[in-house]
Amino acid sequence: WRVDVDLNGDLDDSALLESHDEVGLVGVDSEVTFNNGVEGGAVLNPVKFEALVVEDDAVNQRGNPYAYELQPFPRGIARHAEAWCQDDVWVTRYHGNEPGVPSYWTDPTAYLLGTSANPAGIFNGESIQSEDVVVWYRSPIHHSPHDEDQSPADTGNTYSGLTLTHWTGFDLVPQNVFNFNPLGAPDRSQCP
């Protein structure tokens, strides 16, 4: 997935890695600058509820920065041999001349990792602090062939039918974008 989160305009966004650690009976939440403030990738640890946060320099009426949190919901973790399969999320600095996701399959090394011949993606190692950033999220899915994939005419077990739909992705959750619950909430007197 390519997610270009432009909060309060396309500039002044930074990436953070949010984490939750259980220390005894106490949960400790933390946010650290993603990849020391430069383009790169990271593995999101589901045990620590890790998520990527894109935060703007601007603040809301309560003085908190506008942000969106990318919360993954993977069914599994795929780590294939390709370099771009080793991380779950990447953050790059947006450049209009760098390729985005092509309309046909292209090796993500070309537009995500970059090379000396094609210095795009994270290859540049540019700052992602207070910049226009792009988030790249890899959400793996696994399918084991089964009878429901077969056409009724497929009597030779060649699995020549259609695979049923699988869903994968992430939630993009607002943080401090609204000054209060935009859906409304009961009055405090109604809450026990």
Side-chain angles (χ1 to χ4, degrees):
W1 296 89
R2 179 185 186 274
V3 183
D4 189 359
V5 180
D6 291 334
L7 297 165
N8 195 38
D10 57 359
L11 297 176
D12 302 323
D13 293 334
S14 300
L16 305 165
L17 187 61
E18 185 177 75
S19 185
H20 175 82
D21 287 305
E22 295 290 328
V23 181
L25 297 176
V26 177
V28 178
D29 293 327
S30 63
E31 283 186 349
V32 297
T33 301
F34 181 86
N35 200 42
N36 296 315
V38 296
E39 295 175 312
V43 171
L44 299 177
N45 186 343
V47 174
K48 295 185 175 192
F49 296 92
E50 287 185 338
L52 180 78
V53 176
V54 177
E55 184 176 271
D56 195 83
D57 289 345
V59 296
N60 66 9
Q61 292 176 353
R62 296 177 186 256
N64 297 315
Y66 298 112
Y68 273 93
E69 178 180 338
L70 185 141
Q71 296 177 344
F73 46 89
R75 182 173 165 259
I77 298 171
R79 298 283 184 250
H80 299 290
E82 299 92 342
W84 57 271
C85 288
Q86 301 309 304
D87 288 318
D88 300 317
V89 65
W90 298 264
V91 179
T92 61
R93 191 164 159 184
Y94 176 80
H95 290 290
N97 63 336
E98 285 187 359
V101 177
S103 59
Y104 54 91
W105 192 89
T106 300
D107 183 352
T109 300
Y111 57 86
L112 178 59
L113 302 183
T115 63
S116 57
N118 177 28
I122 66 171
F123 183 84
N124 309 6
E126 295 179 293
S127 172
I128 53 170
Q129 294 298 109
S130 299
E131 297 291 344
D132 185 2
V133 300
V134 177
V135 174
W136 303 82
Y137 175 65
R138 184 178 65 90
S139 57
I141 194 76
H142 174 73
H143 175 75
S144 297
H146 44 78
D147 291 345
E148 286 82 2
D149 297 335
Q150 298 184 78
S151 163
D154 180 7
T155 58
N157 291 329
T158 60
Y159 295 97
S160 62
L162 298 175
T163 299
L164 301 175
T165 301
H166 290 283
W167 299 103
T168 184
F170 57 90
D171 284 332
L172 201 56
V173 179
Q175 287 186 351
N176 310 321
V177 173
F178 305 101
N179 294 315
F180 51 84
N181 185 338
L183 302 176
D187 187 86
R188 285 192 181 270
S189 64
Q190 304 296 315
C191 299

